[in-house]
Amino acid sequence: MEQNKSAILVGVGGQGTILTAKVLVNGLMRAGYDVKMSEVHGMSQRGGSVSTQVHWGRKVYSPVIGKGAADIVVAFEKMEAVRYADYLKRDGIAVINDFEIESSTTAAGMCEYPKGCIEAMKSRFNCYTLNAAKIAEDMGNPKCMNIVLFGSMVKVLGMDDIEWESVIADTVPEKFRDMNVRAYRAGYGAV
């Protein structure tokens, strides 16, 4: 790798963004990269925004990714893609889960869920969209949606040189290993 790369994983509390970032970090470290990670939980336990920044390369000095600097944003919820769009490079990639989670203000009827999130992202960036929630549900466990998205991210970034299935198996709890490996494969094949 000639230059450092960076990814921002964004979602809503409980969607598995932090676990997904840990899988990414573990795999990158195994491959010999210098890796830095930063997490922002916000009001994650109350359904608030969660973001994780991962920076990797030969030598990385900071986990912080500035606006306009991320190579990829992986959005576990489509409104979160728009919230973090300013962090993507002009030629950046967005992997977006076509999935909505109502915020407390939309659930209370104080405002409506914004329309056109994916269309807005596609007008500015190279986007890959999938319904990872549906893919995971069809597999029998909607909670593995995060690893479906991870598989898609690996494919669009061309990160095939790392044995991700082994990394996933070593990172997730044993009772969820097979399901998560299958979720990774499904996500990889979905884009």
PDB file of all heavy atoms in Angstrom, residues 22-33 147 150-151 154 158-171 180-182 184-185 188:
ATOM      1  N   LYS A  22     -13.724  -3.389  14.978  1.00  0.00           N
ATOM      2  CA  LYS A  22     -12.730  -4.274  15.605  1.00  0.00           C
ATOM      3  C   LYS A  22     -12.317  -5.395  14.657  1.00  0.00           C
ATOM      4  O   LYS A  22     -11.141  -5.777  14.610  1.00  0.00           O
ATOM      5  CB  LYS A  22     -13.268  -4.827  16.918  1.00  0.00           C
ATOM      6  CG  LYS A  22     -13.306  -3.772  18.006  1.00  0.00           C
ATOM      7  CD  LYS A  22     -13.881  -4.290  19.296  1.00  0.00           C
ATOM      8  CE  LYS A  22     -13.920  -3.156  20.315  1.00  0.00           C
ATOM      9  NZ  LYS A  22     -14.567  -3.533  21.558  1.00  0.00           N
ATOM     10  N   VAL A  23     -13.268  -5.929  13.891  1.00  0.00           N
ATOM     11  CA  VAL A  23     -12.927  -6.945  12.884  1.00  0.00           C
ATOM     12  C   VAL A  23     -11.965  -6.331  11.867  1.00  0.00           C
ATOM     13  O   VAL A  23     -10.937  -6.930  11.524  1.00  0.00           O
ATOM     14  CB  VAL A  23     -14.200  -7.495  12.190  1.00  0.00           C
ATOM     15  CG1 VAL A  23     -13.830  -8.373  10.988  1.00  0.00           C
ATOM     16  CG2 VAL A  23     -15.073  -8.266  13.170  1.00  0.00           C
ATOM     17  N   LEU A  24     -12.286  -5.129  11.388  1.00  0.00           N
ATOM     18  CA  LEU A  24     -11.429  -4.444  10.421  1.00  0.00           C
ATOM     19  C   LEU A  24     -10.027  -4.228  10.988  1.00  0.00           C
ATOM     20  O   LEU A  24      -9.026  -4.561  10.343  1.00  0.00           O
ATOM     21  CB  LEU A  24     -12.060  -3.103  10.022  1.00  0.00           C
ATOM     22  CG  LEU A  24     -11.249  -2.201   9.093  1.00  0.00           C
ATOM     23  CD1 LEU A  24     -10.977  -2.889   7.757  1.00  0.00           C
ATOM     24  CD2 LEU A  24     -11.982  -0.879   8.882  1.00  0.00           C
ATOM     25  N   VAL A  25      -9.947  -3.696  12.193  1.00  0.00           N
ATOM     26  CA  VAL A  25      -8.656  -3.425  12.824  1.00  0.00           C
ATOM     27  C   VAL A  25      -7.856  -4.717  13.012  1.00  0.00           C
ATOM     28  O   VAL A  25      -6.662  -4.770  12.705  1.00  0.00           O
ATOM     29  CB  VAL A  25      -8.852  -2.686  14.166  1.00  0.00           C
ATOM     30  CG1 VAL A  25      -7.574  -2.668  14.990  1.00  0.00           C
ATOM     31  CG2 VAL A  25      -9.343  -1.270  13.914  1.00  0.00           C
ATOM     32  N   ASN A  26      -8.502  -5.765  13.509  1.00  0.00           N
ATOM     33  CA  ASN A  26      -7.799  -7.035  13.723  1.00  0.00           C
ATOM     34  C   ASN A  26      -7.213  -7.585  12.429  1.00  0.00           C
ATOM     35  O   ASN A  26      -6.074  -8.051  12.398  1.00  0.00           O
ATOM     36  CB  ASN A  26      -8.727  -8.064  14.368  1.00  0.00           C
ATOM     37  CG  ASN A  26      -9.051  -7.738  15.811  1.00  0.00           C
ATOM     38  OD1 ASN A  26      -8.413  -6.897  16.437  1.00  0.00           O
ATOM     39  ND2 ASN A  26     -10.071  -8.395  16.343  1.00  0.00           N
ATOM     40  N   GLY A  27      -7.978  -7.529  11.359  1.00  0.00           N
ATOM     41  CA  GLY A  27      -7.489  -8.018  10.070  1.00  0.00           C
ATOM     42  C   GLY A  27      -6.346  -7.187   9.524  1.00  0.00           C
ATOM     43  O   GLY A  27      -5.361  -7.721   9.012  1.00  0.00           O
ATOM     44  N   LEU A  28      -6.474  -5.876   9.634  1.00  0.00           N
ATOM     45  CA  LEU A  28      -5.421  -4.993   9.140  1.00  0.00           C
ATOM     46  C   LEU A  28      -4.125  -5.179   9.934  1.00  0.00           C
ATOM     47  O   LEU A  28      -3.028  -5.179   9.359  1.00  0.00           O
ATOM     48  CB  LEU A  28      -5.876  -3.538   9.200  1.00  0.00           C
ATOM     49  CG  LEU A  28      -7.009  -3.174   8.229  1.00  0.00           C
ATOM     50  CD1 LEU A  28      -7.583  -1.810   8.580  1.00  0.00           C
ATOM     51  CD2 LEU A  28      -6.532  -3.219   6.788  1.00  0.00           C
ATOM     52  N   MET A  29      -4.240  -5.352  11.235  1.00  0.00           N
ATOM     53  CA  MET A  29      -3.053  -5.571  12.064  1.00  0.00           C
ATOM     54  C   MET A  29      -2.385  -6.898  11.702  1.00  0.00           C
ATOM     55  O   MET A  29      -1.160  -6.978  11.609  1.00  0.00           O
ATOM     56  CB  MET A  29      -3.422  -5.512  13.544  1.00  0.00           C
ATOM     57  CG  MET A  29      -3.707  -4.087  14.003  1.00  0.00           C
ATOM     58  SD  MET A  29      -4.321  -3.934  15.689  1.00  0.00           S
ATOM     59  CE  MET A  29      -3.039  -4.709  16.624  1.00  0.00           C
ATOM     60  N   ARG A  30      -3.199  -7.938  11.479  1.00  0.00           N
ATOM     61  CA  ARG A  30      -2.633  -9.227  11.051  1.00  0.00           C
ATOM     62  C   ARG A  30      -1.866  -9.101   9.753  1.00  0.00           C
ATOM     63  O   ARG A  30      -0.890  -9.814   9.523  1.00  0.00           O
ATOM     64  CB  ARG A  30      -3.759 -10.245  10.832  1.00  0.00           C
ATOM     65  CG  ARG A  30      -4.114 -11.019  12.033  1.00  0.00           C
ATOM     66  CD  ARG A  30      -4.997 -12.177  11.627  1.00  0.00           C
ATOM     67  NE  ARG A  30      -5.764 -12.600  12.777  1.00  0.00           N
ATOM     68  CZ  ARG A  30      -6.657 -13.546  12.745  1.00  0.00           C
ATOM     69  NH1 ARG A  30      -6.932 -14.175  11.617  1.00  0.00           N
ATOM     70  NH2 ARG A  30      -7.311 -13.880  13.832  1.00  0.00           N
ATOM     71  N   ALA A  31      -2.346  -8.223   8.890  1.00  0.00           N
ATOM     72  CA  ALA A  31      -1.702  -8.031   7.588  1.00  0.00           C
ATOM     73  C   ALA A  31      -0.459  -7.145   7.676  1.00  0.00           C
ATOM     74  O   ALA A  31       0.201  -6.909   6.669  1.00  0.00           O
ATOM     75  CB  ALA A  31      -2.708  -7.439   6.604  1.00  0.00           C
ATOM     76  N   GLY A  32      -0.159  -6.655   8.878  1.00  0.00           N
ATOM     77  CA  GLY A  32       1.063  -5.896   9.081  1.00  0.00           C
ATOM     78  C   GLY A  32       0.942  -4.393   8.975  1.00  0.00           C
ATOM     79  O   GLY A  32       1.953  -3.685   8.983  1.00  0.00           O
ATOM     80  N   TYR A  33      -0.276  -3.879   8.864  1.00  0.00           N
ATOM     81  CA  TYR A  33      -0.457  -2.437   8.785  1.00  0.00           C
ATOM     82  C   TYR A  33      -0.373  -1.791  10.166  1.00  0.00           C
ATOM     83  O   TYR A  33      -0.725  -2.405  11.171  1.00  0.00           O
ATOM     84  CB  TYR A  33      -1.828  -2.095   8.180  1.00  0.00           C
ATOM     85  CG  TYR A  33      -1.961  -2.499   6.732  1.00  0.00           C
ATOM     86  CD1 TYR A  33      -2.790  -3.553   6.370  1.00  0.00           C
ATOM     87  CD2 TYR A  33      -1.261  -1.820   5.738  1.00  0.00           C
ATOM     88  CE1 TYR A  33      -2.920  -3.928   5.040  1.00  0.00           C
ATOM     89  CE2 TYR A  33      -1.383  -2.192   4.409  1.00  0.00           C
ATOM     90  CZ  TYR A  33      -2.217  -3.245   4.074  1.00  0.00           C
ATOM     91  OH  TYR A  33      -2.327  -3.611   2.762  1.00  0.00           O
ATOM     92  N   ILE A 147     -21.994  -7.373   9.727  1.00  0.00           N
ATOM     93  CA  ILE A 147     -20.964  -8.152   9.022  1.00  0.00           C
ATOM     94  C   ILE A 147     -21.320  -8.298   7.541  1.00  0.00           C
ATOM     95  O   ILE A 147     -20.433  -8.407   6.693  1.00  0.00           O
ATOM     96  CB  ILE A 147     -20.713  -9.509   9.712  1.00  0.00           C
ATOM     97  CG1 ILE A 147     -20.303  -9.291  11.183  1.00  0.00           C
ATOM     98  CG2 ILE A 147     -19.650 -10.304   8.978  1.00  0.00           C
ATOM     99  CD1 ILE A 147     -19.023  -8.478  11.389  1.00  0.00           C
ATOM    100  N   PHE A 150     -19.858  -5.251   6.287  1.00  0.00           N
ATOM    101  CA  PHE A 150     -18.409  -5.404   6.280  1.00  0.00           C
ATOM    102  C   PHE A 150     -17.956  -6.157   5.029  1.00  0.00           C
ATOM    103  O   PHE A 150     -16.983  -5.770   4.375  1.00  0.00           O
ATOM    104  CB  PHE A 150     -17.935  -6.119   7.547  1.00  0.00           C
ATOM    105  CG  PHE A 150     -16.455  -6.328   7.575  1.00  0.00           C
ATOM    106  CD1 PHE A 150     -15.597  -5.273   7.812  1.00  0.00           C
ATOM    107  CD2 PHE A 150     -15.917  -7.585   7.341  1.00  0.00           C
ATOM    108  CE1 PHE A 150     -14.217  -5.458   7.815  1.00  0.00           C
ATOM    109  CE2 PHE A 150     -14.545  -7.778   7.347  1.00  0.00           C
ATOM    110  CZ  PHE A 150     -13.692  -6.710   7.581  1.00  0.00           C
ATOM    111  N   GLY A 151     -18.644  -7.242   4.682  1.00  0.00           N
ATOM    112  CA  GLY A 151     -18.299  -7.994   3.473  1.00  0.00           C
ATOM    113  C   GLY A 151     -18.370  -7.132   2.230  1.00  0.00           C
ATOM    114  O   GLY A 151     -17.501  -7.206   1.352  1.00  0.00           O
ATOM    115  N   VAL A 154     -15.304  -4.769   2.203  1.00  0.00           N
ATOM    116  CA  VAL A 154     -14.092  -5.474   1.786  1.00  0.00           C
ATOM    117  C   VAL A 154     -14.048  -5.598   0.265  1.00  0.00           C
ATOM    118  O   VAL A 154     -13.020  -5.346  -0.367  1.00  0.00           O
ATOM    119  CB  VAL A 154     -14.009  -6.866   2.459  1.00  0.00           C
ATOM    120  CG1 VAL A 154     -12.951  -7.739   1.801  1.00  0.00           C
ATOM    121  CG2 VAL A 154     -13.731  -6.724   3.948  1.00  0.00           C
ATOM    122  N   GLY A 158     -11.458  -3.737  -2.440  1.00  0.00           N
ATOM    123  CA  GLY A 158     -10.501  -4.677  -3.018  1.00  0.00           C
ATOM    124  C   GLY A 158      -9.511  -5.198  -1.993  1.00  0.00           C
ATOM    125  O   GLY A 158      -8.339  -5.381  -2.292  1.00  0.00           O
ATOM    126  N   MET A 159      -9.982  -5.474  -0.792  1.00  0.00           N
ATOM    127  CA  MET A 159      -9.122  -5.919   0.309  1.00  0.00           C
ATOM    128  C   MET A 159      -9.119  -7.436   0.447  1.00  0.00           C
ATOM    129  O   MET A 159      -9.190  -7.979   1.543  1.00  0.00           O
ATOM    130  CB  MET A 159      -9.573  -5.251   1.613  1.00  0.00           C
ATOM    131  CG  MET A 159      -9.443  -3.748   1.580  1.00  0.00           C
ATOM    132  SD  MET A 159     -10.187  -2.896   2.996  1.00  0.00           S
ATOM    133  CE  MET A 159      -9.482  -3.723   4.381  1.00  0.00           C
ATOM    134  N   ASP A 160      -9.010  -8.120  -0.673  1.00  0.00           N
ATOM    135  CA  ASP A 160      -9.085  -9.578  -0.698  1.00  0.00           C
ATOM    136  C   ASP A 160      -7.824 -10.275  -0.211  1.00  0.00           C
ATOM    137  O   ASP A 160      -7.810 -11.496  -0.076  1.00  0.00           O
ATOM    138  CB  ASP A 160      -9.380 -10.061  -2.124  1.00  0.00           C
ATOM    139  CG  ASP A 160     -10.696  -9.526  -2.644  1.00  0.00           C
ATOM    140  OD1 ASP A 160     -11.635  -9.361  -1.851  1.00  0.00           O
ATOM    141  OD2 ASP A 160     -10.782  -9.270  -3.863  1.00  0.00           O
ATOM    142  N   ASP A 161      -6.761  -9.526   0.030  1.00  0.00           N
ATOM    143  CA  ASP A 161      -5.500 -10.145   0.407  1.00  0.00           C
ATOM    144  C   ASP A 161      -5.437 -10.537   1.882  1.00  0.00           C
ATOM    145  O   ASP A 161      -4.458 -11.105   2.341  1.00  0.00           O
ATOM    146  CB  ASP A 161      -4.336  -9.205   0.071  1.00  0.00           C
ATOM    147  CG  ASP A 161      -4.468  -7.836   0.727  1.00  0.00           C
ATOM    148  OD1 ASP A 161      -5.599  -7.410   1.016  1.00  0.00           O
ATOM    149  OD2 ASP A 161      -3.429  -7.184   0.949  1.00  0.00           O
ATOM    150  N   ILE A 162      -6.497 -10.275   2.633  1.00  0.00           N
ATOM    151  CA  ILE A 162      -6.557 -10.619   4.055  1.00  0.00           C
ATOM    152  C   ILE A 162      -7.562 -11.754   4.224  1.00  0.00           C
ATOM    153  O   ILE A 162      -8.616 -11.764   3.595  1.00  0.00           O
ATOM    154  CB  ILE A 162      -6.956  -9.387   4.900  1.00  0.00           C
ATOM    155  CG1 ILE A 162      -5.882  -8.301   4.769  1.00  0.00           C
ATOM    156  CG2 ILE A 162      -7.173  -9.763   6.368  1.00  0.00           C
ATOM    157  CD1 ILE A 162      -6.249  -6.965   5.389  1.00  0.00           C
ATOM    158  N   GLU A 163      -7.249 -12.713   5.083  1.00  0.00           N
ATOM    159  CA  GLU A 163      -8.134 -13.854   5.340  1.00  0.00           C
ATOM    160  C   GLU A 163      -9.223 -13.424   6.334  1.00  0.00           C
ATOM    161  O   GLU A 163      -9.156 -13.706   7.531  1.00  0.00           O
ATOM    162  CB  GLU A 163      -7.327 -15.038   5.876  1.00  0.00           C
ATOM    163  CG  GLU A 163      -8.132 -16.289   6.148  1.00  0.00           C
ATOM    164  CD  GLU A 163      -9.064 -16.694   5.019  1.00  0.00           C
ATOM    165  OE1 GLU A 163      -8.608 -16.848   3.876  1.00  0.00           O
ATOM    166  OE2 GLU A 163     -10.264 -16.841   5.297  1.00  0.00           O
ATOM    167  N   TRP A 164     -10.218 -12.700   5.808  1.00  0.00           N
ATOM    168  CA  TRP A 164     -11.250 -12.088   6.652  1.00  0.00           C
ATOM    169  C   TRP A 164     -12.101 -13.105   7.399  1.00  0.00           C
ATOM    170  O   TRP A 164     -12.525 -12.850   8.530  1.00  0.00           O
ATOM    171  CB  TRP A 164     -12.122 -11.147   5.834  1.00  0.00           C
ATOM    172  CG  TRP A 164     -11.379  -9.938   5.390  1.00  0.00           C
ATOM    173  CD1 TRP A 164     -10.986  -9.633   4.113  1.00  0.00           C
ATOM    174  CD2 TRP A 164     -10.892  -8.874   6.215  1.00  0.00           C
ATOM    175  NE1 TRP A 164     -10.293  -8.453   4.104  1.00  0.00           N
ATOM    176  CE2 TRP A 164     -10.219  -7.957   5.379  1.00  0.00           C
ATOM    177  CE3 TRP A 164     -10.957  -8.608   7.589  1.00  0.00           C
ATOM    178  CZ2 TRP A 164      -9.632  -6.793   5.854  1.00  0.00           C
ATOM    179  CZ3 TRP A 164     -10.371  -7.447   8.058  1.00  0.00           C
ATOM    180  CH2 TRP A 164      -9.715  -6.560   7.209  1.00  0.00           C
ATOM    181  N   GLU A 165     -12.374 -14.244   6.791  1.00  0.00           N
ATOM    182  CA  GLU A 165     -13.212 -15.234   7.477  1.00  0.00           C
ATOM    183  C   GLU A 165     -12.540 -15.710   8.756  1.00  0.00           C
ATOM    184  O   GLU A 165     -13.190 -15.902   9.781  1.00  0.00           O
ATOM    185  CB  GLU A 165     -13.553 -16.392   6.537  1.00  0.00           C
ATOM    186  CG  GLU A 165     -14.490 -15.947   5.429  1.00  0.00           C
ATOM    187  CD  GLU A 165     -14.933 -17.085   4.525  1.00  0.00           C
ATOM    188  OE1 GLU A 165     -14.800 -18.268   4.916  1.00  0.00           O
ATOM    189  OE2 GLU A 165     -15.433 -16.786   3.420  1.00  0.00           O
ATOM    190  N   SER A 166     -11.246 -15.889   8.722  1.00  0.00           N
ATOM    191  CA  SER A 166     -10.495 -16.279   9.909  1.00  0.00           C
ATOM    192  C   SER A 166     -10.505 -15.161  10.954  1.00  0.00           C
ATOM    193  O   SER A 166     -10.655 -15.414  12.155  1.00  0.00           O
ATOM    194  CB  SER A 166      -9.057 -16.619   9.508  1.00  0.00           C
ATOM    195  OG  SER A 166      -8.264 -16.827  10.638  1.00  0.00           O
ATOM    196  N   VAL A 167     -10.359 -13.927  10.496  1.00  0.00           N
ATOM    197  CA  VAL A 167     -10.388 -12.776  11.409  1.00  0.00           C
ATOM    198  C   VAL A 167     -11.751 -12.686  12.091  1.00  0.00           C
ATOM    199  O   VAL A 167     -11.839 -12.478  13.307  1.00  0.00           O
ATOM    200  CB  VAL A 167     -10.067 -11.463  10.656  1.00  0.00           C
ATOM    201  CG1 VAL A 167     -10.247 -10.255  11.559  1.00  0.00           C
ATOM    202  CG2 VAL A 167      -8.660 -11.506  10.072  1.00  0.00           C
ATOM    203  N   ILE A 168     -12.810 -12.835  11.327  1.00  0.00           N
ATOM    204  CA  ILE A 168     -14.163 -12.792  11.893  1.00  0.00           C
ATOM    205  C   ILE A 168     -14.328 -13.900  12.928  1.00  0.00           C
ATOM    206  O   ILE A 168     -14.811 -13.664  14.037  1.00  0.00           O
ATOM    207  CB  ILE A 168     -15.224 -12.909  10.780  1.00  0.00           C
ATOM    208  CG1 ILE A 168     -15.209 -11.639   9.911  1.00  0.00           C
ATOM    209  CG2 ILE A 168     -16.618 -13.150  11.363  1.00  0.00           C
ATOM    210  CD1 ILE A 168     -15.947 -11.774   8.594  1.00  0.00           C
ATOM    211  N   ALA A 169     -13.906 -15.111  12.570  1.00  0.00           N
ATOM    212  CA  ALA A 169     -14.037 -16.247  13.490  1.00  0.00           C
ATOM    213  C   ALA A 169     -13.286 -16.008  14.797  1.00  0.00           C
ATOM    214  O   ALA A 169     -13.728 -16.429  15.864  1.00  0.00           O
ATOM    215  CB  ALA A 169     -13.543 -17.525  12.815  1.00  0.00           C
ATOM    216  N   ASP A 170     -12.159 -15.320  14.724  1.00  0.00           N
ATOM    217  CA  ASP A 170     -11.366 -15.049  15.922  1.00  0.00           C
ATOM    218  C   ASP A 170     -11.860 -13.844  16.716  1.00  0.00           C
ATOM    219  O   ASP A 170     -11.459 -13.660  17.862  1.00  0.00           O
ATOM    220  CB  ASP A 170      -9.899 -14.817  15.540  1.00  0.00           C
ATOM    221  CG  ASP A 170      -9.219 -16.077  15.046  1.00  0.00           C
ATOM    222  OD1 ASP A 170      -9.764 -17.184  15.271  1.00  0.00           O
ATOM    223  OD2 ASP A 170      -8.144 -15.962  14.422  1.00  0.00           O
ATOM    224  N   THR A 171     -12.716 -13.007  16.123  1.00  0.00           N
ATOM    225  CA  THR A 171     -13.154 -11.767  16.765  1.00  0.00           C
ATOM    226  C   THR A 171     -14.529 -11.885  17.412  1.00  0.00           C
ATOM    227  O   THR A 171     -14.750 -11.342  18.491  1.00  0.00           O
ATOM    228  CB  THR A 171     -13.149 -10.602  15.754  1.00  0.00           C
ATOM    229  OG1 THR A 171     -11.849 -10.516  15.147  1.00  0.00           O
ATOM    230  CG2 THR A 171     -13.468  -9.279  16.429  1.00  0.00           C
ATOM    231  N   ASN A 180     -21.750 -15.340  11.288  1.00  0.00           N
ATOM    232  CA  ASN A 180     -21.055 -14.137  10.851  1.00  0.00           C
ATOM    233  C   ASN A 180     -20.187 -14.388   9.624  1.00  0.00           C
ATOM    234  O   ASN A 180     -20.065 -13.514   8.767  1.00  0.00           O
ATOM    235  CB  ASN A 180     -20.253 -13.526  12.000  1.00  0.00           C
ATOM    236  CG  ASN A 180     -21.119 -12.695  12.904  1.00  0.00           C
ATOM    237  OD1 ASN A 180     -21.498 -11.583  12.559  1.00  0.00           O
ATOM    238  ND2 ASN A 180     -21.462 -13.230  14.068  1.00  0.00           N
ATOM    239  N   VAL A 181     -19.598 -15.557   9.521  1.00  0.00           N
ATOM    240  CA  VAL A 181     -18.834 -15.884   8.311  1.00  0.00           C
ATOM    241  C   VAL A 181     -19.790 -15.947   7.120  1.00  0.00           C
ATOM    242  O   VAL A 181     -19.487 -15.425   6.033  1.00  0.00           O
ATOM    243  CB  VAL A 181     -18.037 -17.199   8.485  1.00  0.00           C
ATOM    244  CG1 VAL A 181     -17.490 -17.695   7.155  1.00  0.00           C
ATOM    245  CG2 VAL A 181     -16.904 -16.992   9.491  1.00  0.00           C
ATOM    246  N   ARG A 182     -20.958 -16.549   7.308  1.00  0.00           N
ATOM    247  CA  ARG A 182     -21.954 -16.584   6.228  1.00  0.00           C
ATOM    248  C   ARG A 182     -22.429 -15.171   5.876  1.00  0.00           C
ATOM    249  O   ARG A 182     -22.625 -14.848   4.709  1.00  0.00           O
ATOM    250  CB  ARG A 182     -23.138 -17.477   6.599  1.00  0.00           C
ATOM    251  CG  ARG A 182     -22.809 -18.948   6.593  1.00  0.00           C
ATOM    252  CD  ARG A 182     -24.018 -19.852   6.785  1.00  0.00           C
ATOM    253  NE  ARG A 182     -24.738 -19.588   8.020  1.00  0.00           N
ATOM    254  CZ  ARG A 182     -25.993 -19.159   8.102  1.00  0.00           C
ATOM    255  NH1 ARG A 182     -26.702 -18.951   7.004  1.00  0.00           N
ATOM    256  NH2 ARG A 182     -26.566 -18.934   9.269  1.00  0.00           N
ATOM    257  N   TYR A 184     -20.685 -12.394   6.177  1.00  0.00           N
ATOM    258  CA  TYR A 184     -19.585 -11.775   5.424  1.00  0.00           C
ATOM    259  C   TYR A 184     -19.655 -12.188   3.958  1.00  0.00           C
ATOM    260  O   TYR A 184     -19.572 -11.348   3.050  1.00  0.00           O
ATOM    261  CB  TYR A 184     -18.242 -12.193   6.042  1.00  0.00           C
ATOM    262  CG  TYR A 184     -17.067 -11.906   5.147  1.00  0.00           C
ATOM    263  CD1 TYR A 184     -16.573 -10.610   5.038  1.00  0.00           C
ATOM    264  CD2 TYR A 184     -16.484 -12.919   4.391  1.00  0.00           C
ATOM    265  CE1 TYR A 184     -15.507 -10.337   4.184  1.00  0.00           C
ATOM    266  CE2 TYR A 184     -15.407 -12.648   3.567  1.00  0.00           C
ATOM    267  CZ  TYR A 184     -14.932 -11.355   3.455  1.00  0.00           C
ATOM    268  OH  TYR A 184     -13.883 -11.091   2.617  1.00  0.00           O
ATOM    269  N   ARG A 185     -19.824 -13.472   3.700  1.00  0.00           N
ATOM    270  CA  ARG A 185     -19.909 -13.951   2.323  1.00  0.00           C
ATOM    271  C   ARG A 185     -21.095 -13.348   1.585  1.00  0.00           C
ATOM    272  O   ARG A 185     -20.986 -12.971   0.413  1.00  0.00           O
ATOM    273  CB  ARG A 185     -20.021 -15.478   2.313  1.00  0.00           C
ATOM    274  CG  ARG A 185     -18.776 -16.191   2.748  1.00  0.00           C
ATOM    275  CD  ARG A 185     -19.001 -17.682   2.814  1.00  0.00           C
ATOM    276  NE  ARG A 185     -17.849 -18.366   3.371  1.00  0.00           N
ATOM    277  CZ  ARG A 185     -17.900 -19.579   3.893  1.00  0.00           C
ATOM    278  NH1 ARG A 185     -19.046 -20.273   3.927  1.00  0.00           N
ATOM    279  NH2 ARG A 185     -16.799 -20.140   4.382  1.00  0.00           N
ATOM    280  N   TYR A 188     -20.295  -9.722   0.785  1.00  0.00           N
ATOM    281  CA  TYR A 188     -19.284  -9.672  -0.273  1.00  0.00           C
ATOM    282  C   TYR A 188     -19.934  -9.898  -1.634  1.00  0.00           C
ATOM    283  O   TYR A 188     -19.595  -9.245  -2.617  1.00  0.00           O
ATOM    284  CB  TYR A 188     -18.207 -10.718  -0.010  1.00  0.00           C
ATOM    285  CG  TYR A 188     -17.003 -10.610  -0.899  1.00  0.00           C
ATOM    286  CD1 TYR A 188     -15.923  -9.832  -0.516  1.00  0.00           C
ATOM    287  CD2 TYR A 188     -16.955 -11.278  -2.121  1.00  0.00           C
ATOM    288  CE1 TYR A 188     -14.809  -9.705  -1.343  1.00  0.00           C
ATOM    289  CE2 TYR A 188     -15.849 -11.160  -2.943  1.00  0.00           C
ATOM    290  CZ  TYR A 188     -14.793 -10.385  -2.562  1.00  0.00           C
ATOM    291  OH  TYR A 188     -13.695 -10.251  -3.382  1.00  0.00           O
TER     292      TYR A 188
END
